[in-house]
Amino acid sequence: MSSLLGMLLGLAVGLRHAFEPDHLTAIATLASEARGARRGAMLGALWGLGHTASLVAVGVILLGVGAVMPSRVAAWFELGVCAMLVVLGVRAMVRAWRQGGAGPVHVHSHRGHAHFHAGVARHVHLRGRVVAVRPLLVGLVHGLAGSGALTALVFAELKGNVARVAYISLFGAGSVIGMAIASALVGASVHRLDRGQRWLGLGAGALSVGLGIAWSLPLWSLA
């Protein structure tokens, strides 16, 4: 495989990779809280950035030592993703049931009188910009789970560590673009819904729990 073809393939495969069932399910539970396509796209892009960061970090380490990830370690990373899907699903269902379409609820007080109101999801501020923490962490976990198979692929297909790291990076860039598109669609759908937001959250949560459990069953024998 030529280096140029390998780079282009990495970008395309990363774009397709974003639309795998576990990724879409995880981001659906997160983007169901988004209000609009722009907010949804930001959540998906943050997922992709976390995914890329862990892919590149683990890939560079494995390439540096000239080894692929042991299958047992890879299986445990995959089980971590399954557990995360279950946790995200339960959280989405509980939130949807308690809060409906109002969004996250926070305690606020004025002159000693406390009350509840809707607010934005948990976030941090980076140079004046609000950055959601949860999708970034979810992406990091997903990247760890996929790093073993990806580095095994680049060992087999590409020559030289520079080309291999470039492939992994472009693969991650493709996943950022793909996940931003997918979560933007979810965010746009949520924005158009009214009372249906609760049922969207419940449905996404139930799907996440079911997929997490089903995905984990064949992995236990490998771990």
Side-chain angles (χ1 to χ4, degrees), residues 108-114:
H108 194 63
S109 61
H110 294 284
R111 297 178 181 177
H113 298 286

Side-chain angles (χ1 to χ4, degrees), residues 113-178:
H113 298 286
H115 63 277
F116 296 90
H117 69 90
V120 299
R122 184 174 298 176
H123 62 277
V124 296
H125 293 272
L126 184 63
R127 292 190 175 183
R129 294 183 179 273
V130 174
V131 177
V133 175
R134 192 174 295 111
L136 193 65
L137 295 177
V138 172
L140 283 168
V141 175
H142 265 113
L144 287 175
S147 57
L150 183 59
T151 50
L153 173 67
V154 299
F155 264 110
E157 298 293 335
L158 295 174
K159 302 297 183 182
N161 287 344
V162 173
R164 291 166 176 168
V165 172
Y167 179 95
I168 295 173
S169 301
L170 285 172
F171 179 95
S175 69
V176 172
I177 296 170

